Amino acid sequence: MKKIIIADDEHKILMSLEYSFKKNGYDVYIARDGTEVLEFLKTMVPDVILLDIMMPNLDGYSTLDLIKQDENLKNTKVIFLSAKNNPRDIEKGLEMGADAYVTKPYSIKKLMQQIEEMF
Amino acid sequence: MSSFALFFVVLFYLALLFLVAHLAEKKRSKFWINNPYIYALSLAVYCTAWTYYGSIGVAATGGLNYLPIYIGPAMIIPAWIYINTRIVRIARVNKISSLADFISLRYGNSRSMGAIITVVCLLAIVPYIGLQIKAISETFHLVTETPMSKDILTDNATFVVILIALFSSYYGTRYVDASEKRLGIISAIALESFLKLFFIIILGLFVIYYVFDGFHDIYQKASRFEDFKQKNTFNGIEGAMNWMVLCMISATAICILPRQFHTAIVENRQEKHIRTAIWFFPLYLLIFTIFIFPIAWGGRLIFDGEKVNPEFYSILIPQHFDNTLITVLVFLGGLSSCISMIIISAITLSIMLSNNLIIPYGLLGKLKSENEVQNTRSITNIRKFSIFALIIMAFAFYKYFILKTSLDSVGLISFVIIAQLAPAFFGAIFWRRGSYKGAVIGLAAGLAICYFGLIIPQYYFSYNQEFKGVLRDMYNSFDFFTIPYLARIPQIFFWSILVNTGLFTIISVSIKGNYRERNFAELYVDIDKYIQNHENAFIWRGTAYISDIQNILERFLGKNKTEQALRIFNLKYNIDSKTETADSRFIKFSENLLAGRIGTASAKILIEGVTKEDKISLKEVLNILEESKENITLNKKLTEQSEELQKLSDDLRNANENLIVKDRQKDDFLDSVAHELRTPITAIRSAGEILADDDDIPLEIKQEFLNNIITESDRLSEIINDILYLDKLQHGEILLSIQQNNILETYKKALNPLLHLIQQKNIHLSEVNLLNRAIFEYDEARMIQLLQNIWGNALKFTDEQGTIQTKLFEKENQLVITIFNTGKHIPEEDLEMIFDKFYQSKNQNILKPTGSGLGLAISKKIIQAHNGSIKAENSGLGVTFTISLPDRIINEIKNEVEHF
């Protein structure tokens, strides 16, 4: 079973993502911000991490930075899921090494397909 | 006072001057350099011993005749704004360093004219310097009550003169370039001008209020003298005419005296300083003259019948009353007057002597073959020696010629002789046709008249009273010219200037001028046109090699400075540095570089030595000038247009930058709005997608998703409302309904809807009411919204079991509400920005803000509409928001109380 961490501070967005990924057979871990993601990463190596960018405490960019420094996580796919749809932000996200940058609002179905294609 | 003591006072005083000169020269601070008052004060070098002592003598013996010496300058000084501004420009572009350079350059830059002017100046000024030395020496003996010593080696006055000579030759020759500004000397002169005025004010007040009972008292007592009325009126047409001529003499002198030319033109740093001088300097003269009358007549009253020199009343009066302090101060004031005159005159004469006589007639060959260091040393040594020699010469002159004459007559004769330069001088800036021959012949004739009319009677007959013979007869035969209404000096002035000007004009218009003098005539008269590219206006045709000229320049400027100057020249005219032949611009440029060091005439001779000039006809020169004038006008127009374009483009760029900033702000705002809207939309879309696609979704989850859709839709509409509301507030579209309300009730109304949230978070809520009354004026609905926004904000940031405390009190007629919460501190740099819509905190771009980011912006707008203020502060354990609401009711009541 693939493991996925979903990080977003919006409760209602998390709900639908959690529901859909569970339904598609993922092992889902929910984080409210970057620090919670890092907490999970201490004990596990997920296959996918969905990261919002604007989050309290530790934002998405900084979280990705820390993820990239961890050798154990080199096979983990990181996808930004953000309402920031400025080309500058998207470029920055991809340059930092995210595997994809999906802007909100998104289609859950398409997001799922995109992730499946990564493997 | 003993001779010895006074000598030390003088030494101390000179040391002070040294110090000021030294400090100014060393620091070169803005205070010294850009100070228009220092410039204006330095012009007061006009007031010499003659003013300080002589005028008092004239006032006591000759009545009102002391006044024209001040009225003449006061009359012409306003015209300086026109005359001196032009001369300053001409002097600047041609590197003119003396009166001789200024006049001779205009008349074709001739060596002989410079020499003649130098000789005239020497003749006029050396006796005048002698006069100052006489004043120093006599007052020195007067103050020390010692007899004049026959032996100059034991006379203390001699040493004072030597000290002054040393001071001037040291500070006057600091720069080899004579057109450089002498900061040290000028600062010292300005200080002296201030001091002499200050001392005469002290003396004046002493005479008026200590010796006598006010000005009125002196007038009353003095008017009992038989000759008082006659001396203090104009004496009919005769007196008026004399007055008029004397005013003309002094008006000319203030412009042409070498020391005035030096301080006003050569030492001028900024044209705008002339603006200050034209009111400051006449004011200075006015203050000076105010005290002459009471001192003169006060002196006559005190020393009535005694045989004393009225010129020295200013020292005799305080001495008579045994007031040593004022006596010495007055002596120092007189010394100041003398020293400034001696220093500036000696410096300017030494420049003329070296640049117009010694170098062009003797040393040019030697200078041509030596190197820069040797030349610099030679030039400064010549000037040092000249200054020293001039002062010693003047000393000798004083000892042998003017021991017995009054200060006044020597001064006036000086003025009349210098005035002979006036036709050539004023002609230079106003008249294109004026020629060398006309100027020189006119000058010679004028001088001849002065010689026979003034110098022979003054210096010759005074020693040979009994002299009879040819000279006496010749002199007497001039009686034919006597004008009955004029005194001797005004009469000679009248005839000499008439003949001088007449010859200058007639000869100039009747003979064909030389092309070079016509060239400079254009440049002088139309200086404003040529000020930018004056080198273009110099006409020269011939063959010359840059390397030859460079070689000459290096001998005077040194290799580095020459190369630097050449680079500047090439840059200015966009000339390739490999160019070998020199054009007219380069010739003029090089002459200018040398002019400050060796004078314009010598510069021309040196450059001529390495170039081969072709003759040009006058007609050709006029044509070229016409052409270049057209070019310059065209150029000016183009420059103006390009400046206009530049201004327009600057404006456009500024407007554009503004737009960019506005645009960015708008972008940021829209970005934030879009971001805020996308979050609920995402939630709605996701929930909708699941509900649509997933048929076997459990009922309770389905219910939850449907609820999400509803709440997120509400959130969406709330954000949209906030944005629209803020916009309306911003544009003043929402009118406040301001009424008297009870703030405590409003407080409760605002709090009630939030109570359950506060309880949920287990937050401790407290309130402190320090109000004496509860009725205030405000819009209640808005106030509720404002309070709820701040509390809502506090709620978000306060952890569970935290505290929110609201305090109400009055301070300085304002209702103040503070809301404190134990939430975490706001970064200091954001304290003001949190009230901006979607405020751009450092991390806001990536860290999630809580809420729409509009609540505080709305709150601020509401309180601003009430003329109040709101601010946030980090305090101790948390954050305090302070709302201040001005209280109109209190003001009105207060006003009423005051009215009762």
Side-chain angles (χ1 to χ4, degrees):
Chain A
M1 217 176 356
K2 286 193 191 102
K3 291 182 200 141
I4 184 166
I5 301 178
I6 308 172
D8 200 315
D9 61 325
E10 281 289 333
H11 167 69
K12 282 154 194 165
I13 292 177
L14 281 173
M15 250 181 84
S16 49
L17 285 173
E18 185 186 8
Y19 176 85
S20 303
F21 278 96
K22 274 193 176 154
K23 181 130 197 182
N24 276 284
Y26 282 81
D27 201 355
V28 181
Y29 300 83
I30 298 291
R32 295 302 187 104
D33 74 343
T35 51
E36 289 184 20
V37 175
L38 297 177
E39 217 34 63
F40 281 128
L41 293 177
K42 278 182 191 162
T43 53
M44 60 175 282
V45 178
D47 301 281
V48 187
I49 303 175
L50 290 186
L51 273 180
D52 188 10
I53 290 174
M54 283 170 75
M55 293 185 291
N57 302 321
L58 192 65
D59 66 85
Y61 291 135
S62 314
T63 315
L64 177 65
D65 233 9
L66 294 167
I67 293 169
K68 284 288 157 194
Q69 285 167 26
D70 193 336
E71 262 301 299
N72 296 328
L73 299 169
K74 62 177 183 212
N75 292 323
T76 303
K77 307 286 176 202
V78 181
I79 298 164
F80 275 129
L81 212 54
S82 171
K84 289 159 76 75
N85 68 347
N86 212 308
R88 282 196 312 272
D89 297 318
I90 299 175
E91 212 169 289
K92 182 179 174 189
L94 294 174
E95 263 172 22
M96 288 184 70
D99 297 277
Y101 191 110
V102 178
T103 56
K104 291 178 182 174
Y106 45 80
S107 151
I108 297 189
K109 223 188 291 174
K110 281 187 188 158
L111 175 69
M112 202 73 76
Q113 273 171 14
Q114 209 174 335
I115 294 171
E116 292 294 336
E117 278 163 17
M118 283 181 178
F119 297 99
Chain B
M1 193 173 202
S2 80
S3 212
F4 200 62
L6 190 63
F7 186 71
F8 270 95
V9 171
V10 171
L11 256 185
F12 178 75
Y13 187 75
L14 285 176
L16 178 78
L17 290 185
F18 257 113
L19 185 72
V20 169
H22 184 73
L23 287 180
E25 195 72 55
K26 197 174 146 204
K27 288 210 170 151
R28 309 192 73 82
S29 69
K30 273 207 174 122
F31 173 79
W32 298 108
I33 291 178
N34 288 331
N35 197 326
Y37 296 99
I38 289 188
Y39 170 72
L41 275 173
S42 75
L43 296 176
V45 69
Y46 180 71
C47 300
T48 61
W50 175 19
T51 315
Y52 206 79
Y53 300 123
S55 293
I56 294 169
V58 177
T61 55
L64 290 186
N65 278 346
Y66 74 95
L67 280 177
I69 302 307
Y70 308 101
I71 294 175
M75 272 160 48
I76 204 166
I77 284 170
W80 276 4
I81 202 72
Y82 181 67
I83 301 175
N84 278 18
T85 306
R86 299 179 75 181
I87 301 177
V88 162
R89 286 179 189 167
I90 294 168
R92 196 173 67 223
V93 301
N94 292 298
K95 287 285 214 169
I96 283 169
S97 53
S98 70
L99 182 67
D101 266 3
F102 176 74
I103 299 178
S104 62
L105 184 68
R106 156 64 184 83
Y107 297 98
N109 198 7
S110 91
R111 177 169 73 154
S112 55
M113 187 144 194
I116 294 170
I117 293 164
T118 304
V119 171
V120 173
C121 291
L122 283 173
L123 285 177
I125 305 303
V126 169
Y128 203 164
I129 299 178
L131 195 73
Q132 311 302 315
I133 297 174
K134 175 179 149 94
I136 296 177
S137 169
E138 286 184 11
T139 51
F140 190 90
H141 291 291
L142 207 60
V143 173
T144 55
E145 295 172 86
T146 49
M148 299 277 277
S149 171
K150 280 261 157 71
D151 185 356
I152 54 167
L153 288 178
T154 56
D155 191 346
N156 269 336
T158 312
F159 296 108
V160 174
V161 171
I162 290 173
L163 273 178
I164 296 170
L166 287 173
F167 176 79
S168 344
S169 47
Y170 178 70
Y171 270 102
T173 53
R174 290 294 297 267
Y175 312 102
V176 59
D177 188 329
S179 61
E180 280 275 344
K181 318 289 177 215
R182 292 162 183 74
L183 196 55
I185 284 284
I186 289 299
S187 306
I189 299 298
L191 176 71
E192 289 196 290
S193 292
F194 171 76
L195 289 177
K196 66 191 178 198
L197 181 68
F198 183 62
F199 294 152
I200 205 149
I201 291 174
I202 291 180
L203 173 71
L205 296 176
F206 174 78
V207 174
I208 299 172
Y209 295 106
Y210 178 80
V211 179
F212 292 94
D213 235 1
F215 192 83
H216 190 68
D217 184 38
I218 300 178
Y219 186 85
Q220 283 269 310
K221 287 178 180 156
S223 58
R224 283 184 215 129
F225 281 113
E226 272 176 25
D227 57 349
F228 182 81
K229 192 156 185 275
Q230 179 235 330
K231 284 201 168 133
N232 287 294
T233 46
F234 275 121
N235 298 328
I237 188 146
E238 190 185 330
M241 279 182 72
N242 276 309
W243 250 61
M244 194 183 77
V245 179
L246 285 173
C247 283
M248 281 169 70
I249 297 177
S250 58
T252 322
I254 193 81
C255 296
I256 316 186
L257 275 176
R259 66 174 188 278
Q260 296 306 133
F261 185 88
H262 188 86
T263 48
I265 309 295
V266 182
E267 298 289 347
N268 176 283
R269 284 176 184 276
Q270 290 181 21
E271 276 177 30
K272 67 176 183 197
H273 288 177
I274 297 174
R275 287 180 186 282
T276 311
I278 62 169
W279 64 264
F280 186 89
F281 185 43
L283 182 69
Y284 183 97
L285 292 178
L286 177 72
I287 299 173
F288 224 110
T289 42
I290 282 175
F291 294 103
I292 289 178
F293 180 89
I295 297 170
W297 288 95
R300 263 194 74 173
L301 285 168
I302 297 166
F303 301 106
D304 191 22
E306 287 179 49
K307 205 170 171 291
V308 294
N309 184 352
E311 288 188 334
F312 295 124
Y313 277 163
S314 49
I315 285 183
L316 291 168
I317 298 173
Q319 207 170 34
H320 180 78
F321 289 92
D322 280 334
N323 195 325
T324 315
L325 177 68
I326 294 185
T327 311
V328 171
L329 288 186
V330 171
F331 168 76
L332 287 179
L335 187 69
S336 281
S337 315
C338 300
I339 292 176
S340 350
M341 186 277 169
I342 295 175
I343 291 173
I344 296 291
S345 299
I347 288 171
T348 172
L349 286 180
S350 83
I351 293 170
M352 287 197 225
L353 203 59
S354 65
N355 288 4
N356 297 91
L357 276 177
I358 301 176
I359 295 175
Y361 284 97
L363 282 177
L364 214 48
K366 180 172 171 281
L367 293 178
K368 228 184 334 192
S369 57
E370 284 182 342
N371 66 24
E372 181 235 346
V373 183
Q374 289 166 317
N375 278 338
T376 302
R377 200 188 317 122
S378 308
I379 295 169
T380 29
N381 279 344
I382 293 170
R383 298 217 185 108
K384 271 199 177 103
F385 171 75
S386 312
I387 292 177
F388 200 79
L390 280 166
I391 295 176
I392 300 305
M393 234 160 80
F395 183 69
F397 192 86
Y398 142 67
K399 279 282 178 193
Y400 297 106
F401 287 99
I402 53 174
L403 216 43
K404 287 178 197 145
T405 47
S406 73
L407 298 182
D408 176 57
S409 53
V410 177
L412 264 185
I413 291 172
S414 251
F415 277 19
V416 175
I417 294 173
I418 280 295
Q420 300 312 314
L421 298 174
F425 179 84
F426 289 110
I429 42 175
F430 293 117
W431 197 36
R432 285 187 171 82
R433 286 293 298 271
S435 72
Y436 167 80
K437 280 180 192 146
V440 170
I441 294 171
L443 178 62
L447 284 173
I449 295 173
C450 293
Y451 182 73
F452 287 108
L454 293 175
I455 296 172
I456 290 184
Q458 175 80 24
Y459 298 114
Y460 199 61
F461 293 161
S462 65
Y463 283 89
N464 299 279
Q465 299 287 352
E466 306 302 315
F467 191 83
K468 300 260 192 289
V470 189
L471 209 54
R472 186 90 213 193
D473 291 341
M474 216 164 87
Y475 180 68
N476 289 341
S477 68
F478 277 105
D479 282 351
F480 171 71
F481 289 103
T482 308
I483 302 168
Y485 291 123
L486 291 181
R488 195 165 53 93
I489 290 177
Q491 183 172 293
I492 299 299
F493 174 78
F494 173 79
W495 281 117
S496 59
I497 289 292
L498 183 75
V499 172
N500 186 341
T501 315
L503 284 173
F504 173 56
T505 322
I506 294 165
I507 295 172
S508 292
V509 293
S510 50
I511 57 165
K512 210 170 114 188
N514 163 287
Y515 78 93
R516 176 57 42 82
E517 68 187 21
R518 190 54 197 261
N519 188 181
F520 279 110
E522 292 291 332
L523 213 153
Y524 271 45
V525 176
D526 281 332
I527 180 66
D528 291 345
K529 281 195 190 129
Y530 299 114
I531 188 96
Q532 291 302 333
N533 298 309
H534 64 98
E535 280 118 355
N536 273 328
F538 178 74
I539 296 166
W540 184 90
R541 203 183 286 159
T543 349
Y545 294 99
I546 288 179
S547 54
D548 291 338
I549 297 174
Q550 196 174 350
N551 191 18
I552 297 271
L553 294 178
E554 277 172 12
R555 292 187 186 282
F556 290 88
L557 278 74
K559 210 171 167 59
N560 285 344
K561 267 199 180 153
T562 305
E563 276 169 9
Q564 193 189 356
L566 250 59
R567 266 201 303 278
I568 292 171
F569 177 80
N570 288 339
L571 211 64
K572 182 177 176 188
Y573 291 108
N574 201 12
I575 290 171
D576 183 11
S577 58
K578 292 190 188 79
T579 311
E580 283 181 358
T581 49
D583 59 4
S584 61
R585 294 176 299 194
F586 190 72
I587 303 280
K588 179 69 179 126
F589 179 75
S590 313
E591 281 189 15
N592 268 2
L593 285 174
L594 293 175
R597 285 171 166 73
I598 52 173
T600 53
S602 306
K604 181 185 155 217
I605 297 167
L606 277 187
I607 300 289
E608 263 175 3
V610 292
T611 58
K612 196 173 157 291
E613 189 182 0
D614 300 337
K615 278 266 174 255
I616 319 178
S617 72
L618 184 60
K619 198 169 165 239
E620 261 182 291
V621 170
L622 292 177
N623 284 341
I624 297 171
L625 281 171
E626 201 50 49
E627 233 170 75
S628 89
K629 213 186 273 177
E630 272 166 25
N631 277 340
I632 285 169
T633 321
L634 198 70
N635 212 350
K636 212 172 169 185
K637 256 189 208 154
L638 282 175
T639 315
E640 274 167 15
Q641 276 173 354
S642 106
E643 273 168 9
E644 238 166 68
L645 276 176
Q646 182 64 40
K647 203 185 156 287
L648 276 177
S649 115
D650 284 350
D651 287 351
L652 208 64
R653 204 181 43 239
N654 284 342
N656 197 29
E657 274 167 10
N658 262 340
L659 276 178
I660 290 172
V661 170
K662 286 246 167 73
D663 221 40
R664 206 178 42 233
Q665 283 174 343
K666 198 185 82 201
D667 280 355
D668 287 348
F669 177 69
L670 289 178
D671 221 29
S672 310
V673 171
H675 187 270
E676 281 313 303
L677 294 175
R678 267 185 214 116
T679 303
I681 290 174
T682 308
I684 293 169
R685 198 195 183 287
S686 306
E689 200 182 343
I690 292 168
L691 289 170
D693 291 351
D694 199 339
D695 291 336
D696 34 79
I697 183 166
L699 193 64
E700 62 206 81
I701 293 179
K702 191 175 179 178
Q703 196 64 44
E704 217 170 323
F705 279 131
L706 284 171
N707 270 338
N708 281 358
I709 291 174
I710 294 163
T711 50
E712 288 302 275
S713 302
D714 288 346
R715 181 172 159 191
L716 256 183
S717 98
E718 193 189 316
I719 293 172
I720 292 166
N721 284 342
D722 276 357
I723 292 168
L724 293 177
Y725 183 69
L726 185 70
D727 191 58
K728 279 185 181 165
L729 270 178
Q730 228 160 8
H731 291 92
E733 282 168 25
I734 294 176
L735 288 175
L736 299 179
S737 113
I738 297 201
Q739 281 168 348
Q740 294 201 353
N741 295 296
N742 186 320
I743 187 67
L744 299 176
E745 280 172 18
T746 307
Y747 172 83
K748 272 180 206 144
K749 281 186 206 167
L751 191 62
N752 279 336
L754 298 172
L755 278 175
H756 74 280
L757 281 172
I758 294 170
Q759 280 157 5
Q760 239 177 30
K761 261 187 123 176
N762 239 333
I763 284 171
H764 176 71
L765 185 80
S766 71
E767 54 194 61
V768 181
N769 176 12
L770 300 171
L771 290 172
N772 296 322
R773 62 199 177 93
I775 307 296
F776 291 90
E777 280 192 344
Y778 52 87
D779 179 328
E780 186 170 43
R782 308 283 162 237
M783 190 56 80
I784 290 175
Q785 192 181 4
L786 187 153
L787 290 171
Q788 285 180 342
N789 275 341
I790 310 275
W791 278 322
N793 199 62
L795 259 170
K796 273 177 216 153
F797 290 100
T798 309
D799 296 329
E800 292 212 0
Q801 297 192 331
T803 296
I804 295 179
Q805 187 193 59
T806 309
K807 203 196 273 184
L808 298 111
F809 57 95
E810 275 180 66
K811 191 182 168 192
E812 290 161 6
N813 298 340
Q814 292 202 321
L815 166 65
V816 182
I817 305 171
T818 61
I819 297 167
F820 165 77
N821 69 69
T822 49
K824 65 173 181 186
H825 281 182
I826 300 167
E828 285 295 323
E829 66 269 21
D830 290 351
L831 279 173
E832 276 182 31
M833 284 194 290
I834 55 168
F835 296 104
D836 294 347
K837 50 195 177 196
F838 304 115
Y839 85 94
Q840 301 286 315
S841 147
K842 223 196 230 166
N843 298 315
Q844 196 227 336
N845 210 21
I846 37 182
L847 280 179
K848 184 82 182 168
T850 316
S852 70
L854 290 171
L856 287 178
I858 290 170
S859 305
K860 187 174 182 180
K861 290 279 174 260
I862 290 174
I863 196 73
Q864 276 177 344
H866 280 85
N867 285 329
S869 64
I870 184 166
K871 64 174 180 183
E873 286 167 298
N874 290 321
S875 51
L877 297 166
V879 178
T880 306
F881 282 84
T882 307
I883 304 161
S884 305
L885 187 72
D887 186 344
R888 267 157 292 187
I889 306 165
I890 289 181
N891 283 340
E892 275 166 23
I893 292 171
K894 263 203 158 176
N895 285 340
E896 277 170 29
V897 169
E898 278 164 15
H899 280 299
F900 279 109

